[in-house]
């Protein structure tokens, strides 16, 4: 079964490609390499180009004729989306509409879409289930929620079947040590903390300790990238079985504060990891924790690396051995 993976050279997409190939499927990658890395594409052909370029994506679909598309490509930084909303609407919404048009022209009727907990905005309750109100508070979250709504309309009108997977905080690295997280600039807590432990940064900034949480720092639901990818594989099987379009929240259902993450990283790395308290970062909700029972029940999803020390441990191996392929 041929699967086209957009953004397959990026952090989560590259882990997905490796898992698809290991599962006997035939992934092919589309990536413009604006954020992704050529070195991250293992076991799959890479088509370099922009998903929003209709002529390009038409040619790729004509050549590959995939049974399904997994759409990871997009812009992912909340803060940047506040400063440059046009980029988010163009890369996340307009480009996805171009992809959907091309899929329609080529008769590709199944899509697994990378969505986000950011579609829920400031939660009115945690844990956050699928029925929680969708009220995104930044252009990043709005662009993803608009795509989710467009996908529902594309199902009603054109029969396009989709599964939207709302990631909470993706973290960790390939347990085999081949792949890992590599953002430029890096903004995510766990890789930044580990860069302190490896000596690449002097300290970790804590963005606020006056939130309404147990220790005053923000609480997040960290989910191992491998567990996320396994949920995608199950979503693909769900669609292949002819099931209805839907969305699932993906997290472990357990929140860790910024301070708990730093403490765990000290335990895993043996490094003191100096911290510096800073002002709150704009747009950070105090607590985001998933209620992922639906994915467990409907897809049979069973996270295998839910333990925070395991997640950090895999990311630490990657930081020590590869760190964006810049070091031997
Ligand atoms: N944090 C720090 N110091 C840092 C970096 C982060 O204290 O140097 C804090 C943040 O303020 C936040 C927590 O650590 O409270 C996690 O921050 P991340 O940047 O790692 O992750 P976010 O929760 O902000 O965002 C992630 C994804 C988004 C997605 C969101 C949805 O990056 O794409 O989860 O939950 F929208």
């Amino acid at each position: 079964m041929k699967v086209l993976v957009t953004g397959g050279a990026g952090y989560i997409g590259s882990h997905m490609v490796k898992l698809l190939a290991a599962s006997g499927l035939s992934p092919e990658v589309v990536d413009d390499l604006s954020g992704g890395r050529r070195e991250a594409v293992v076991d799959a052909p890479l088509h370099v180009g922009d998903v929003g370029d209709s002529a390009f994506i038409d040619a790729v679909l004509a050549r590959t004729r995939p049974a399904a598309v997994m759409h990871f490509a997009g812009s992912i930084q909340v803060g940047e989306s506040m400063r440059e909303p046009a980029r988010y609407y163009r890369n996340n919404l307009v480009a996805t509409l171009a992809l959907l048009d091309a899929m329609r022209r080529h008769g590709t009727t199944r899509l697994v879409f990378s969505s986000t907990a950011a579609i829920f905005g400031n939660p009115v309750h945690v844990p956050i289930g699928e029925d929680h109100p969708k009220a995104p508070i930044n252009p990043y979250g709005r662009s993803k929620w608009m795509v989710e709504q467009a996908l529902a309309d594309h199902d009603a009108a054109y029969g396009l079947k989709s599964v939207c997977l709302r990631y909470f905080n993706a973290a960790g690295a390939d347990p085999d040590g081949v792949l890992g997280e590599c953002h430029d600039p890096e903004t995510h807590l766990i890789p930044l903390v580990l860069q302190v432990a490896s000596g690449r940064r002097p300290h970790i900034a804590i963005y606020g300790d006056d939130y309404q949480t147990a220790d005053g720092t923000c609480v997040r639901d960290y989910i191992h990238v491998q567990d996320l990818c396994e949920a995608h594989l199950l979503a693909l099987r769900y669609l292949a079985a002819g099931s209805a379009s839907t969305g699932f929240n993906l997290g472990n259902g357990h929140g860790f504060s910024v301070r708990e993450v730093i403490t765990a990283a000290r335990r895993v790395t043996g490094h003191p990891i100096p911290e510096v308290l800073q002002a709150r970062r704009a747009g950070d909700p105090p607590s985001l924790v998933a209620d992922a029972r639906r994915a467990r029940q409907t897809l049979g999803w069973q996270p295998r690396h839910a333990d925070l020390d395991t997640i950090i441990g895999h990311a630490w191996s990657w930081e020590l051995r590869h760190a964006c392929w810049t070091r031997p």
Side-chain angles (χ1 to χ4, degrees):
M1 180 184 183
K2 185 76 67 73
V3 182
L4 193 67
V5 183
T6 77
Y11 169 43
I12 305 172
S14 62
H15 287 77
M16 188 72 239
V17 169
K18 183 165 177 272
L19 180 62
L20 286 166
S23 305
L25 300 170
S26 304
E28 296 214 9
V29 173
V30 164
D31 202 298
D32 67 0
L33 301 179
S34 61
R37 303 277 303 213
R38 193 180 287 277
E39 303 94 311
V41 181
V42 289
D43 299 332
L46 167 64
H47 307 273
V48 179
D50 180 354
V51 173
D53 176 343
S54 294
F56 164 74
I57 201 71
D58 250 337
V60 171
L61 284 171
R63 194 138 32 108
T64 56
R65 310 211 67 80
V69 176
M70 290 187 162
H71 183 34
F72 292 88
S75 296
I76 59 161
Q77 287 181 45
V78 170
E80 181 184 64
S81 82
M82 308 284 280
R83 296 188 302 274
E84 294 182 61
R87 177 197 290 260
Y88 281 73
Y89 292 113
R90 188 172 59 247
N91 289 351
N92 293 355
L93 176 61
V94 178
T96 302
L97 294 177
L99 171 66
L100 297 182
D101 285 346
M103 286 174 65
R104 205 161 70 247
R105 282 193 293 274
H106 291 276
T108 314
T109 57
R110 293 175 196 143
L111 179 81
V112 181
F113 175 61
S114 297
S115 190
T116 170
I119 67 167
F120 299 107
N122 282 319
V124 292
H125 60 255
V126 286
I128 301 171
E130 286 77 9
D131 296 335
H132 185 285
K134 320 298 185 295
I137 55 169
N138 50 60
Y140 168 65
R142 275 192 280 277
S143 68
K144 292 285 186 176
W145 177 231
M146 286 175 189
V147 170
E148 288 209 20
Q149 292 172 290
L151 287 173
D153 292 336
H154 277 61
D155 185 359
Y158 312 124
L160 176 84
K161 298 297 171 199
S162 63
V163 172
C164 298
L165 298 176
R166 292 90 175 240
Y167 313 158
F168 281 62
N169 286 62
D174 172 28
D176 297 339
V178 176
L179 299 168
E181 190 163 4
C182 177
H183 294 115
D184 185 20
E186 188 54 75
T187 60
H188 296 102
L189 179 64
I190 290 178
L192 287 175
V193 166
L194 295 177
Q195 287 179 15
V196 178
S198 70
R200 292 207 284 154
R201 281 174 195 271
H203 57 254
I204 185 71
I206 296 178
Y207 296 142
D209 71 349
D210 56 351
Y211 287 93
Q212 292 287 321
T213 59
D215 68 13
T217 65
C218 287
V219 169
R220 294 290 181 271
D221 186 341
Y222 295 91
I223 168 164
H224 198 292
V225 62
Q226 193 73 17
D227 288 332
L228 272 185
C229 290
E230 278 172 13
H232 285 70
L233 203 55
L234 293 167
L236 202 60
R237 296 207 180 110
Y238 169 93
L239 288 175
S243 307
S245 295
T246 191
F248 296 104
N249 295 357
L250 297 179
N252 286 308
H254 189 85
F256 293 96
S257 72
V258 172
R259 283 199 198 283
E260 284 175 322
V261 169
I262 296 171
T263 302
R266 287 180 180 134
R267 201 161 50 230
V268 169
T269 65
H271 189 279
I273 311 184
E275 60 186 55
V276 173
L277 182 61
Q278 290 191 5
R280 288 182 176 199
R281 189 173 68 176
D284 274 342
S287 182
L288 290 173
V289 179
D291 176 350
R293 279 177 300 179
R294 216 166 148 242
R296 289 168 180 268
Q297 285 159 7
T298 310
L299 297 177
W301 182 55
Q302 187 64 50
R304 290 191 294 151
H305 307 289
D307 175 60
L308 183 62
D309 285 25
T310 305
I311 293 174
I312 293 176
H314 289 159
W316 179 231
S317 300
W318 166 254
E319 167 65 20
L320 287 177
R321 284 157 60 192
H322 297 282
C324 296
W325 297 272
T326 52
R327 296 182 299 165

